[in-house]
Amino acid sequence: MSLPLVLDCDPGTDDALALFLALGSPELDVLAITVAGGNVGLDRTLPNARALVGLTKRAVPVFGGADRPLLGAFTSETRVHGIDGLGGIALPEGPAAEADHAADAIRRIVRSAREPVTLVGIAPATNLALALMTEPGIAGNIKQIVLMSGAWAEGNATPAAEFNAVSDPEALAVVLACGRPIVLATLEIAAQALCTKAHLAAMAASGTGACLRAACAIQGTVPFGRRLGGAGAALYDPVAVAWLVRPDLFSTQEAYVTMDLGPGPCRGRTVIDRWGRTPHAPNATVLTSIDAAGFFGLLTERFNRLP
Ligand code: RIB
Ligand code: CA
């Protein structure tokens, strides 16, 4: 029985690989792709999501959503993802997006689902928060919320904060407080499975499908950042999806996670209570280690299931 889920994304180079992994995995039943502004503006992330879904030939509806955070101004990350969000890799235009706003689609899908739905958030959490804030009752039919967000330690967008978290800290705080099981894939877990040139070459040599070729071409445009030693690129979003497909590749720790919502230099920081120093019970399962070889084997095998 496949796991019903909604994937909220901001494609985004790593979002592209996460979307391919989700749509290439029979263990997952992707009910909808919802899109927010994030890596680049919604005017780019939405057509990118449509194009990626189109390449997979899967009949999955795509919904545009928030183009800015709940509070404050929109900020993008074109240094990693390029101006267009996919590293300049042009894809055929995908199917039209649905008319509903992403938050309304999430509410409708979760409200009417016959079994609890998993929400996967690999973007700023604005769409998820809007759905939960405008219809709190849907939480009762949410199985779990799996997020690529946050960090145990230093950030990648600011010294203190990870990009998705700091892009909309209030939205992440809403999701963390919704009372449903949260799984957190932080910066650190992805840093344990860097995609090197060798990984990419092996993946590219594994097949000839359009999705595999697009995944490798897109990933090949991602710079190797100094923060990770210049040896490879972190596949942040695919790690979050891989947890759902192959949880055996991971170890985890239960921890209490809260947000710094202040205006200062630590705004958007996820404060993860590793040692139980706070009086709060854990509210999240944080991924702590990954079998990197198993992860790349999963990506390669699943990308080759796509057209
Ligand atoms: O910090 C990494 C996260 O921010 C990933 O989801 C990436 O796609 C960007 O959205
Ligand atoms: Ca993302």
Side-chain angles (χ1 to χ4, degrees):
M1 186 70 173
S2 55
L3 185 76
L5 67 87
V6 175
L7 177 68
D8 188 66
C9 59
D10 62 329
T13 52
D14 60 327
D15 300 72
L17 275 64
L19 194 150
F20 284 153
L21 175 58
L23 294 176
S25 294
E27 300 88 342
L28 306 179
D29 176 13
V30 183
L31 303 175
I33 301 285
T34 55
V35 189
N39 290 312
V40 290
L42 183 67
D43 62 322
R44 292 303 324 153
T45 56
L46 183 54
N48 289 346
R50 290 169 42 215
L52 292 162
V53 170
L55 213 55
T56 70
K57 305 279 190 268
R58 298 284 195 273
V60 177
V62 179
F63 298 86
D67 64 358
R68 72 200 70 180
L70 295 180
L71 300 175
F74 171 73
T75 53
S76 63
E77 183 44 271
T78 55
R79 292 169 298 175
V80 173
H81 304 274
I83 299 295
D84 71 322
L86 295 179
I89 302 300
L91 301 178
E93 183 172 1
E98 304 294 323
D100 283 353
H101 186 283
D104 295 333
I106 292 168
R107 288 169 38 187
R108 173 175 47 78
I109 290 166
V110 173
R111 183 190 318 128
S112 59
R114 287 193 306 277
E115 65 176 282
V117 175
T118 292
L119 301 182
V120 180
I122 56 174
T126 318
N127 288 332
L128 304 183
L130 286 171
L132 286 163
M133 290 162 72
T134 52
E135 190 171 346
I138 64 169
N141 208 25
I142 293 173
K143 180 181 176 64
Q144 63 192 330
I145 303 176
V146 182
L147 299 172
M148 189 285 129
S149 191
W152 291 93
E154 66 177 2
N156 61 342
T158 73
E162 179 276 326
F163 177 82
N164 286 336
V166 74
S167 292
D168 197 339
E170 282 74 18
L172 181 52
V174 165
V175 174
L176 287 172
C178 79
R180 301 309 297 144
I182 303 282
V183 178
L184 211 50
T186 65
L187 293 178
E188 289 86 357
I189 188 77
Q192 294 179 29
L194 296 181
C195 184
T196 64
K197 288 189 185 311
H199 284 118
L200 209 49
M203 198 177 285
S206 71
T208 58
C211 292
L212 174 78
R213 283 188 285 110
C216 293
I218 290 166
Q219 187 57 37
T221 70
V222 179
F224 293 175
R226 287 180 304 129
R227 190 177 67 86
L228 298 175
L235 300 182
Y236 298 110
D237 295 340
V239 167
V241 175
W243 155 264
L244 284 172
V245 181
R246 286 283 308 278
D248 61 294
L249 296 176
F250 298 85
S251 63
T252 65
Q253 175 184 340
E254 301 300 302
Y256 176 68
V257 182
T258 189
M259 295 297 301
D260 185 323
L261 299 177
C266 287
R267 175 167 172 75
R269 179 182 181 80
T270 48
V271 183
I272 307 177
D273 183 5
R274 185 192 297 272
W275 304 111
R277 300 270 193 258
T278 68
H280 302 287
N283 61 349
T285 299
V286 186
L287 306 185
T288 50
S289 74
I290 184 172
D291 171 349
F295 172 62
F296 283 104
L298 174 70
L299 289 180
T300 303
E301 191 267 328
R302 293 303 153 89
F303 291 168
N304 277 292
R305 289 184 184 224
L306 293 168

